[in-house]
Each structure stands twice: as C-alpha cells, then as structure tokens.
Amino acid sequence: MEIILKYLDSIIRVLSFIVLPFLCGGLVQKIRSYSQGRVGAPVFQILYDTWRMIRKKPVDGPFSGFFTEASPIIACLSGVAVWSLTSFEWGSFLLIPFLIGIMRFALLAYSVENGTSFAGMGAAREVILYVFCEPIMILVLVVFESHLVFNANFASLAFGGLFLLGTSLIILAELAKPPFDDPRTHLELTMVHEAMLLEASGSRRALFEMAQQFKTCALFLFVAKMGVYHGEFFLSRSVPTFWLDVVAVIGALFVSVCVGYIEANSTRRKWLWVPELLGLNFIFMLFLGILLKLG
C-alpha cells in the first residue's frame, strides 16, 4: 500500500497529462452545447478530429516557405512544454509567458508568410492582445510564485475573488474566448485566432489545434493550482500530495465548465473596447497585487 501511495502522485499526473488536454476542450464545447439547448458533439470529438486531420496531407499556398512547415511543429512543441510545465512543475511558472510567446510567434509567422489579408488582420489583433495580456500574466505569476496565503476570512476571500476575476479575464483573452474573440464565428472580419489559421489544413492544422488545446488545459490547470497552493484549507492540513493533484484536476474541469457556460452566454464586444478593458485590468491587478503583498 505504501508503494502505491508513493507513486500515486506520479500516476495521476501522467494520466492527467495524457487525457486532460482533449477532455477540457471537449468539455467546453459540450457545456456550450447544453447551454444553448443542443446535444453537441462527444466530449472527445477534438481528439477524433485531430486524428483525422493529422493523417491528411496539407495543401500549401503559393507563398508558403520555411515558416509554413516549421511553425506548426514549433507551436505544438511549445504547447507541450507549457502543458508539461504546468502538470509536472519542472520549472518556474514564470516560464509560461515566454513559452506562450514562442507559440504565438510561430502562429504569427505562419499567418504572415501566407500573405492573405484576413490572416494579416488577425495577426495584428493577436499582437495587440499579446501586448496587453503578457504584463498582466506576469503579475499573476509573480503572485503565484510568492508565499501568499488566502485565509478563511471575508477580506481575504474578497481579495482572492477579485484576483481570480482579473485572472479569468486574462485567461479568456489568451484563449481567444468571448468577449475578446468568438471561436464560433464564420465571419473573417471578426476573427482573431481563427483568421490566422484560414490557410492551415491537414496535419499542420492538427498541430496548431493540439497546441491550442495544450495551452487551454495548461491555463485551466494553472488557475486551479492557484487556488490549491494558496488556500489556507490545503496548506494548514497535512494533505497528501496526490490529493492536491486530484483537487487541481477537478478544478481544471470546473474551470472548463465555467468557460463553456461563458462562451455560450456571452458575445464578442467591439474591438475598440478590448484594449481599454485589458488596460484597466492591468491597473486593477497591479493595485490589487500591491494590496495583497502589503496585507
């Protein structure tokens, strides 16, 4: 029994590393369908679609070159690195913005090299989101790496809730979810993330989709671990390590449910509204982080 408990933590992390990326994305789509009164596709439909696309030969445009071939691989490897960092914690979480930046660079290079107008427009909007999101993400990670503990009192829970609200806005912006982007849209003029992948097909599209799923699950698990690692309930008791991992996985699934519900019941806002909201969120998170550190 002791041997099983010794390796149970590693087993849970390996299983979640394999299953959770496709489960979280599928759960978002399933909850969105249920919220709209539809049955929706199976939970693992993303896995089926990825396996179907990865066996197809991509169709290249007339302007395709080095980045057309290399960008999907770079993006997928960066996604695996982000997901493994969040799952196994082999390094500091401050590496997350840099790994996501590599993934975003690969996506931007792919979209710009193909030379389509819609891809260029989506790339420009993606850069704007990157400029406003990354400073806030670094602030959140600095707080995560600190020894801050949320106690079981009203003031601490209120500050924790506000901090979680600001973090959720950044997660939605990073994942191109409403109100910043609408992954369900079929209008090229309103696309951000999808506009850059209009020319992707076959195995390259599959690699980009896998990278997106890895990033999605990594951010969901990060939000869950933020509550687990900084909650007084978990820190004040001798809780086994594998139970913390189980709670974190359940928390990631709960975040998936919340994002699916938000995606079904919210719409994309005007683009001019997006930088203003992210700028105000940066100021809000900066002052809130200072108050949390002083408290």
Side-chain angles (χ1 to χ4, degrees), residues 60-189:
D60 296 330
F63 302 104
S64 60
F66 170 76
F67 286 108
T68 302
E69 298 180 359
S71 292
I73 300 175
I74 296 173
C76 188
L77 291 178
S78 301
V80 173
V82 172
W83 175 225
S84 63
L85 173 62
T86 312
S87 298
F88 300 108
E89 303 176 17
W90 48 263
S92 173
F93 276 20
L94 289 172
L95 293 173
I96 291 178
F98 301 100
L99 295 173
I100 292 179
I102 295 174
M103 186 190 310
R104 183 174 279 110
F105 170 78
L107 185 59
L108 292 172
Y110 179 88
S111 62
V112 172
E113 187 178 59
N114 284 279
T116 61
S117 57
F118 290 123
M121 181 177 59
R125 293 176 175 177
E126 182 75 12
V127 170
I128 292 177
L129 287 177
Y130 172 75
V131 169
F132 283 96
C133 286
E134 294 309 308
I136 310 175
M137 178 65 72
I138 293 175
L139 284 176
V140 173
L141 290 170
V142 168
V143 174
F144 181 85
E145 293 287 343
S146 66
H147 299 286
L148 185 68
V149 178
F150 293 105
N151 300 317
N153 55 62
F154 177 77
S156 182
L157 292 177
F159 276 111
L162 292 175
F163 191 81
L164 181 62
L165 177 62
T167 305
S168 301
L169 287 176
I170 300 305
I171 299 301
L172 292 175
E174 281 283 353
L175 299 178
K177 301 292 184 181
F180 303 98
D181 190 17
D182 190 358
R184 302 164 296 175
T185 183
H186 297 285
L187 301 175
E188 290 85 353
L189 292 174

Side-chain angles (χ1 to χ4, degrees), residues 192-206:
V192 179
H193 180 266
E194 295 297 327
M196 296 184 290
L197 297 178
L198 289 175
E199 302 299 321
S201 62
S203 58
R204 290 170 187 160
R205 175 76 184 200

Side-chain angles (χ1 to χ4, degrees), residues 3 28-29 31 34 65 76 80 100 103 105 107 113 118 124 164 187 190 199 206 211 218 243 262 265 283 292-293:
I3 298 177
V28 169
Q29 294 183 357
I31 296 300
Y34 278 146
C76 188
V80 173
I100 292 179
M103 186 190 310
F105 170 78
L107 185 59
E113 187 178 59
F118 290 123
L164 181 62
L187 301 175
T190 61
E199 302 299 321
W243 277 116
I262 293 173
N265 294 277
I283 299 174
L292 288 174
K293 293 296 291 183

